[in-house]
Amino acid sequence: MPFPQPTAPGARSNAGLPFFVGIVFFLIFLWRLVDLATDWFWFQEVGYQTIFMTTFLAQLKTAGLFGGGFFLIFYANLYLAVRLSARAKIVLDHDSPFNIPALQLGNRTLHVVVLTLSVVVGLFAAFNGASQWEGFLKFLYGEPFGVKDPLYQRDVGFYVFQLPFLKTIFLWLLTALLMTTAAVTVLYFVRRSFLFMPPRHWRVAPVARGHLSAIGAAFFLLMAFGFWLQLCDLLFTKRGVVFGPGYTDVTTQVGAIKALIVLSFLVAVAFVVSIFKSNWRIPFYAVGAFIVLVIIGRGVYPGMVQKFKVVPNEVVVERPYLERNIRFTRMAYRLDDIDVRPFSASEKLTLADLKRNEATIKNIRLWDHEPLLSTYGQLQEIRTYYKFPDVDNDRYVVNGAYRQVAISPRELSYDALPSRTWVNEHMTYSHGYGVVMSPVNRITKEGLPEFFIKDIPPVSSADIRIKRPELYYGETANEYVFVKGKRPEFDYPVGDQNVYSRYDGKGGVPLSAWRKLLYAMRFKSFTMLLSDDITADTRIMYHRDIKERVSRIVPFIYLDDDPYPVVTPEGRIVWMLDGYTLTDRFPYSESIRGVGNYIRNAVKATVDAYDGTVTLYVSDAADPIIKTYRRIFPGVFRDLSEMPAGLRAHVRYPRDLFGIQANMYRSYHMQDPQVFYNKEDLWSIPSRTLQGTDRSMEPYYTVLKFPQEQREEFILMIPFTPSRRDNMSAWMAARCDAPNYGKLVVYDFPKQTLVYGPRQIEARIDQDTEISKQLSLWNQRGSQVIRGNLLAIPIDQSILYVESLYLAAERGQLPELKRVILSFGNAIAMEENLETAMQRIFGGELLKDRGEEPKQAVAGPLPRGVDRRLANEALEHYRKAQDLIRQGNWAGYGDEMRKLEGALKALEGQK
């Protein structure tokens, strides 16, 4: 009987190594396939399969391009090195200390090792290459900007779309060549085709020298391509005062780089010649010349020109380049479209002017974000597991009047659930409930906000109704929940009982047995797999955080940090998000860290809070970047005109973008290079001191009527002051209402007129003896005064300043709005409400919020013989006493009670 032949050690290792590598990559791919499958189900749910498939196919293409190319370069060179080294071993004397034994591996075994290694590095290159899908698609579909750079006369689209991918290819080729060179050198060394004998001697077999010389020639050809890319990248350098190439770069760097391109070709030729001449001196001297030119042409010479020619006469030499910097920066941040108008800053505001701008005054915001958020939490959270994550400002037509309102969603806080079991977190407590809405200028007699919408279920005192209050998608959603399962979902509390419901929308991914298994693997939840509450009708909702949800669909759009809810005319709650297109490849434009040097608010996204429907609208159709994405993903983005009118009425200019534009406009409103260089008219964002630290004023929304315009509109604005001075120099506004949405306006003050700025107004408030005395009194006996944001409100050609004062107990979280400070010109008034403060300064009748006052009880006639003046006096003392006792001012309370007693005794004496 024949015996089995023993397996050669080499054969066993030949089979084992690829098997082990295969197992490792299989496990990696398994989890990736689970993510891929569940992502596909989710993209089917949201209806954006086009993005998934286009992205996936582009990833496959770039993975194949980078991984396959890397494998071919690496494997072909190693395979050639194996073949050449087999017949080119260097033989030394037996007694030589450098006579190292050659690697004893058969050619077949070595080929398997080389192939396996090449496959591994190729796969890693493929993984990295797959992440380059976006640059690949933009390279293919990039739209022109219609603007040429001043230096090379290329369209800006080349630098935004083509140049980044060309640089990626260069880095990929450079990595491939360096790794290949290292691997080939090691292989020749272990095969004794290359020996190094310290300190300065080496021996190289002719075939190895020829192979390495060929790689060297390829390397310097690649360097020529790299220097051409550096020539293009000069447009994004900063030297001295100019962003982009200035005098030094244009006159020295351009020529030096072009010389290096030519020299790189000559060095490559020198390496090719060395293959046939068998002489290392030719490429050695060529590389030496190359290094000398790099040091002198790219470092020493430009530095000398900058120091000795440019710096002594910088403003003259750099003038044309400063003009380019100013022009392209204004273009990149859309500052060149700003409408600049004069503003006289008159101090002759009359009662007639105020009545003509009554809607502006009725919409002055008295409630600031932080105190209002705290008050909402105390009054309207209802249960500990409800939270208000934010307060946003918007405008609605309320009972026929155009009103600015504060609105906040009542979301579910999973960290505060009464019992954090898996069932509670993922099945029972699935959604938040409703919103609260209040006018920004209305306060009750107790100093609390009045509500248009409040409570659970939502109760509305205005003509705004919420018919679908459930919030399955929001800002504080957990990872995933199940709906339409066996368990009912918690809807809202009623007294000691809870109301439950079942989801009735189209949101979520339908589940089946094998999908349930995939999601259990994705979320690493064994409980999910065993749960009997999940049925064939159950749906899983995930990516419920609205920013994450939109980012998953369009990861190439940068989202604003402040999404806000909108109550539609149909009674649904829909989230509105702003999206930006950014790049740092706009020539000559000044850059901002974390942003780049070009920005557009190109996208408005909406997310239905009940079913998670995401709709993407293009708000800046002229932007070449969004045009490119529309070509890449056809049918994904809609025109803004297709947005329903009820939503379009609530589109607002994003605060983040406006802040960036305002910050850039501080310098770039100066268009004369001489003035710009000397910073003669540099502006600043006003600041104020809070708790010992200076904070810059933030842009704020308000409703006002521009001078010489016919109606009020919702705007975003901020004032400017001259640099290192506190008086006001201008104010900037972004218009939010159609048909003027997105237009920027700057009102410039006359330089010969002093207009108080926010810091000066704050100082005057602090110096007012009556106000200072009242603040000192309130800050005692366990209470704390919270000073609101100071708002500059333009009315016609004048500026009003308004600041609210809130009072809160040190141990409480319920700020009450107690006083409103109004400043105009040299007059300052602090009263219980804005109307009284305006009456103090301007006289005349109070500007009431007619038609919207809460109904008050009507007093009957006083008994005969009773003095109405004394009765009113007694009532006023009683009200003041109640205010003082809430403030903890017992001395004042006692004083008012004594006055009340005197008034009552006087009344008693009349009977």
Side-chain angles (χ1 to χ4, degrees):
M1 186 175 78
F3 291 96
Q5 298 297 317
T7 304
R12 179 176 297 177
S13 63
N14 291 354
L17 184 60
F19 179 75
F20 174 75
V21 173
I23 289 294
V24 172
F25 279 100
F26 172 76
L27 293 175
I28 294 173
F29 278 119
L30 176 62
W31 291 106
R32 178 64 187 127
L33 286 173
V34 169
D35 287 341
L36 198 64
T38 50
D39 281 345
W40 169 248
F41 301 148
W42 184 80
F43 273 92
Q44 283 183 313
E45 178 214 342
V46 295
Y48 289 97
Q49 300 95 317
T50 299
I51 290 183
F52 180 90
M53 289 305 301
T54 302
T55 302
F56 180 65
L57 292 176
Q59 287 175 338
L60 289 180
K61 291 175 183 177
T62 53
L65 173 66
F66 287 94
F70 205 105
F71 169 80
L72 288 176
I73 294 171
F74 195 81
Y75 177 70
N77 280 279
L78 285 182
Y79 177 80
L80 181 61
V82 170
R83 295 291 300 271
L84 293 176
S85 63
R87 49 189 174 85
K89 292 183 174 60
I90 299 172
V91 180
L92 298 176
D93 296 335
H94 287 289
D95 57 351
S96 172
F98 306 108
N99 193 2
I100 302 171
L103 181 66
Q104 299 299 320
L105 279 179
N107 280 350
R108 182 179 177 185
T109 302
L110 192 55
H111 278 305
V112 171
V113 173
V114 166
L115 179 61
T116 303
L117 182 61
S118 300
V119 169
V120 170
V121 297
L123 286 173
F124 279 109
F127 288 146
N128 180 68
S131 64
Q132 305 300 324
W133 65 269
E134 185 181 349
F136 172 69
L137 291 177
K138 290 196 291 187
F139 178 83
L140 295 178
Y141 295 98
E143 284 277 329
F145 274 65
V147 177
K148 292 185 177 181
D149 79 90
L151 188 59
Y152 305 123
Q153 296 300 308
R154 291 193 189 97
D155 188 89
V156 170
F158 167 78
Y159 303 100
V160 174
F161 302 120
Q162 278 77 42
L163 183 60
F165 192 67
L166 292 176
K167 291 174 67 176
T168 300
I169 291 177
F170 168 76
L171 292 174
W172 166 72
L173 285 172
L174 182 62
T175 304
L177 276 180
L178 292 176
M179 288 186 66
T180 299
T181 303
V184 166
T185 302
V186 170
L187 184 58
Y188 279 129
F189 182 78
V190 298
R191 299 273 282 181
R192 289 188 57 178
S193 296
F194 167 75
L195 289 179
F196 176 65
M197 294 171 286
R200 297 188 306 170
H201 300 285
W202 62 84
R203 289 184 62 180
V204 185
V207 290
R209 181 171 59 246
H211 189 185
L212 292 173
S213 295
I215 294 176
F219 175 81
F220 277 94
L221 287 176
L222 179 61
M223 290 305 296
F225 176 55
F227 282 119
W228 180 79
L229 294 176
Q230 287 188 25
L231 202 62
C232 301
D233 258 348
L234 273 183
L235 289 168
F236 310 103
T237 58
K238 182 173 177 64
R239 189 192 299 268
V241 297
V242 180
F243 186 91
Y247 178 86
T248 299
D249 299 302
V250 172
T251 57
T252 65
Q253 297 281 55
V254 172
I257 293 174
K258 288 180 178 179
L260 284 168
I261 292 173
V262 174
L263 189 54
S264 296
F265 278 106
L266 294 178
V267 174
V269 171
F271 271 98
V272 173
V273 170
S274 73
I275 298 174
F276 303 100
K277 294 287 187 181
S278 298
N279 188 344
W280 286 102
R281 291 184 178 180
I282 298 175
F284 178 79
Y285 289 132
V287 171
F290 177 85
I291 294 173
V292 169
L293 182 57
V294 168
I295 294 172
I296 295 176
R298 298 283 279 151
V300 176
Y301 180 52
M304 292 176 64
V305 171
Q306 180 73 18
K307 183 176 181 179
F308 296 109
K309 173 144 190 176
V310 175
V311 172
N313 199 22
E314 194 169 36
V315 67
V316 175
V317 173
E318 299 283 25
R319 184 181 181 89
Y321 308 104
L322 277 171
E323 289 176 346
R324 296 176 182 179
N325 176 214
I326 294 170
R327 181 164 64 91
F328 276 80
T329 300
R330 288 172 61 87
M331 195 185 308
Y333 294 96
R334 213 168 63 80
L335 306 180
D336 52 344
D337 293 334
I338 291 178
D339 182 10
V340 180
R341 304 176 183 179
F343 193 85
S344 64
S346 169
E347 294 186 4
K348 298 179 180 179
L349 200 60
T350 65
L351 277 174
D353 298 328
L354 295 177
K355 290 180 179 179
R356 192 170 58 252
N357 292 274
E358 187 174 354
T360 297
I361 296 168
K362 286 165 56 177
N363 282 287
I364 293 175
R365 179 168 61 84
L366 303 180
W367 283 102
D368 286 347
H369 174 273
E370 292 184 8
L372 185 58
L373 188 61
S374 297
T375 303
Y376 277 177
Q378 289 293 313
L379 299 180
Q380 283 292 306
E381 280 180 356
I382 311 296
R383 292 290 189 271
T384 57
Y385 44 78
Y386 285 128
K387 296 295 178 186
F388 292 104
D390 194 14
V391 176
D392 294 289
N393 284 287
D394 201 355
R395 71 287 197 194
Y396 287 77
V397 177
V398 181
N399 299 331
Y402 193 65
R403 301 302 300 265
Q404 183 182 359
V405 302
I407 182 171
S408 184
R410 185 184 293 105
E411 297 204 47
L412 199 63
S413 172
Y414 288 89
D415 293 335
L417 287 179
S419 176
R420 294 195 63 185
T421 64
W422 185 89
V423 171
N424 276 348
E425 289 194 38
H426 299 292
M427 303 197 79
T428 303
Y429 292 90
S430 57
H431 57 275
Y433 207 87
V435 301
V436 293
M437 181 187 294
S438 62
V440 296
N441 69 318
R442 299 288 295 276
I443 54 177
T444 66
K445 292 180 179 179
E446 294 78 20
L448 301 174
E450 293 184 5
F451 290 100
F452 286 152
I453 300 175
K454 63 179 181 177
D455 296 343
I456 301 177
V459 176
S460 176
S461 62
D463 53 355
I464 302 173
R465 299 289 184 268
I466 300 179
K467 300 177 182 178
R468 184 55 78 183
E470 299 91 341
L471 297 166
Y472 283 88
Y473 301 86
E475 294 183 85
T476 62
N478 68 346
E479 193 174 17
Y480 63 92
V481 295
F482 295 96
V483 296
K484 297 189 176 181
K486 287 183 180 179
R487 286 184 180 269
E489 301 168 44
F490 170 78
D491 213 18
Y492 57 88
V494 176
D496 295 333
Q497 304 295 319
N498 291 331
V499 175
Y500 293 88
S501 66
R502 286 180 61 83
Y503 183 70
D504 190 31
K506 60 181 181 179
V509 176
L511 290 178
S512 61
W514 74 280
R515 285 190 178 187
K516 183 178 176 181
L517 173 63
L518 290 176
Y519 280 109
M521 293 175 65
R522 176 181 180 127
F523 294 113
K524 301 177 181 62
S525 174
F526 192 64
T527 307
M528 183 192 304
L529 199 60
L530 298 179
S531 176
D532 293 330
D533 295 319
I534 300 174
T535 68
D537 295 327
T538 301
R539 292 170 172 259
I540 181 172
M541 292 179 172
Y542 57 109
H543 300 325
R544 299 196 304 136
D545 181 287
I546 52 174
K547 286 187 65 179
E548 179 196 6
R549 190 171 185 83
V550 176
S551 291
R552 286 275 176 172
I553 298 172
V554 283
F556 40 83
I557 300 296
Y558 301 84
L559 296 179
D560 191 88
D561 287 332
D562 189 24
Y564 58 98
V566 174
V567 180
T568 69
E570 296 76 27
R572 300 181 75 92
I573 301 172
V574 176
W575 292 95
M576 190 88 73
L577 298 89
D578 286 284
Y580 305 114
T581 51
L582 309 175
T583 184
D584 59 356
R585 312 303 298 172
F586 200 85
Y588 276 104
S589 174
E590 188 75 35
S591 62
I592 297 176
R593 180 178 297 178
V595 175
N597 62 2
Y598 172 95
I599 184 170
R600 289 292 185 272
N601 175 214
V603 174
K604 302 283 185 182
T606 62
V607 182
D608 190 287
Y610 186 69
D611 59 31
T613 300
V614 178
T615 312
L616 304 168
Y617 300 95
V618 173
S619 54
D620 190 347
D623 173 39
I625 299 180
I626 200 63
K627 284 183 179 179
T628 298
Y629 286 126
R630 295 187 86 168
R631 286 187 64 192
I632 296 172
F633 305 107
V636 166
F637 297 95
R638 304 183 184 183
D639 293 329
L640 191 60
S641 59
E642 297 180 50
M643 182 182 286
L647 279 175
R648 199 162 61 247
H650 296 279
V651 167
R652 68 183 194 184
Y653 202 84
R655 188 156 45 189
D656 285 355
L657 172 61
F658 185 73
I660 290 170
Q661 291 175 312
N663 189 57
M664 296 303 296
Y665 196 71
R666 295 183 310 109
S667 302
Y668 286 91
H669 72 277
M670 299 178 285
Q671 299 187 57
D672 182 271
Q674 177 90 26
V675 175
F676 181 88
Y677 177 83
N678 293 323
K679 306 298 181 187
E680 295 176 16
D681 194 21
L682 182 65
W683 291 350
S684 296
I685 304 294
S687 61
R688 60 181 303 200
T689 302
L690 287 175
Q691 298 177 350
T693 59
D694 282 351
R695 298 183 185 178
S696 294
M697 202 169 181
E698 295 182 352
Y700 51 92
Y701 293 99
T702 190
V703 171
L704 60 77
K705 181 167 62 177
F706 285 115
Q708 285 81 48
E709 304 246 351
Q710 299 301 314
R711 65 181 184 88
E712 283 75 17
E713 53 187 293
F714 191 62
I715 68 160
L716 179 62
M717 67 166 290
I718 195 160
F720 292 109
T721 60
S723 179
R724 300 180 181 179
R725 296 182 63 187
D726 294 328
N727 59 291
M728 201 164 168
S729 57
W731 60 277
M732 181 178 183
R735 308 176 80 167
C736 299
D737 291 346
N740 297 310
Y741 172 80
K743 294 181 179 179
L744 300 180
V745 183
V746 168
Y747 282 91
D748 207 350
F749 290 15
K751 290 182 171 53
Q752 66 274 14
T753 302
L754 173 65
V755 180
Y756 289 128
R759 185 183 284 273
Q760 292 172 319
I761 296 297
E762 291 279 10
R764 295 187 64 224
I765 292 173
D766 292 338
Q767 294 165 8
D768 187 281
T769 55
E770 291 299 321
I771 296 176
S772 179
K773 182 172 66 175
Q774 186 66 60
L775 295 182
S776 299
L777 179 64
W778 279 344
N779 269 317
Q780 299 174 5
R781 301 179 182 273
S783 61
Q784 176 189 10
V785 175
I786 302 172
R787 295 182 65 165
N789 293 321
L790 182 67
L791 304 182
I793 306 296
I795 297 181
D796 285 349
Q797 292 286 338
S798 302
I799 294 288
L800 287 178
Y801 282 102
V802 179
E803 181 179 298
S804 300
L805 297 180
Y806 310 90
L807 192 65
E810 288 184 356
R811 296 184 180 180
Q813 297 294 326
L814 184 62
E816 298 177 355
L817 200 162
K818 286 302 180 184
R819 294 292 184 270
V820 177
I821 300 175
L822 180 67
S823 175
F824 176 71
N826 292 313
I828 293 180
M830 182 178 75
E831 295 295 336
E832 293 184 355
N833 53 56
L834 180 63
E835 291 83 0
T836 308
M838 296 193 73
Q839 187 184 39
R840 275 277 306 275
I841 291 180
F842 297 101
E845 296 181 359
L846 297 180
L847 291 171
K848 290 290 186 182
D849 209 350
R850 292 186 291 274
E852 298 176 32
E853 290 282 5
K855 294 182 179 179
Q856 304 289 339
V858 179
L862 291 172
R864 180 175 299 178
V866 175
D867 189 335
R868 180 177 291 275
R869 182 185 62 79
L870 287 174
N872 288 338
E873 182 181 337
L875 182 60
E876 183 63 26
H877 288 312
Y878 172 76
R879 287 174 176 169
K880 288 183 178 179
Q882 294 302 308
D883 284 342
L884 291 168
I885 196 172
R886 279 196 295 268
Q887 300 163 18
N889 185 354
W890 295 101
Y893 171 74
D895 185 50
E896 289 297 330
M897 289 302 291
R898 283 192 293 273
K899 292 178 181 178
L900 173 61
E901 182 182 7
L904 292 174
K905 287 181 177 179
L907 283 171
E908 185 180 19
Q910 291 185 351
K911 292 183 180 179

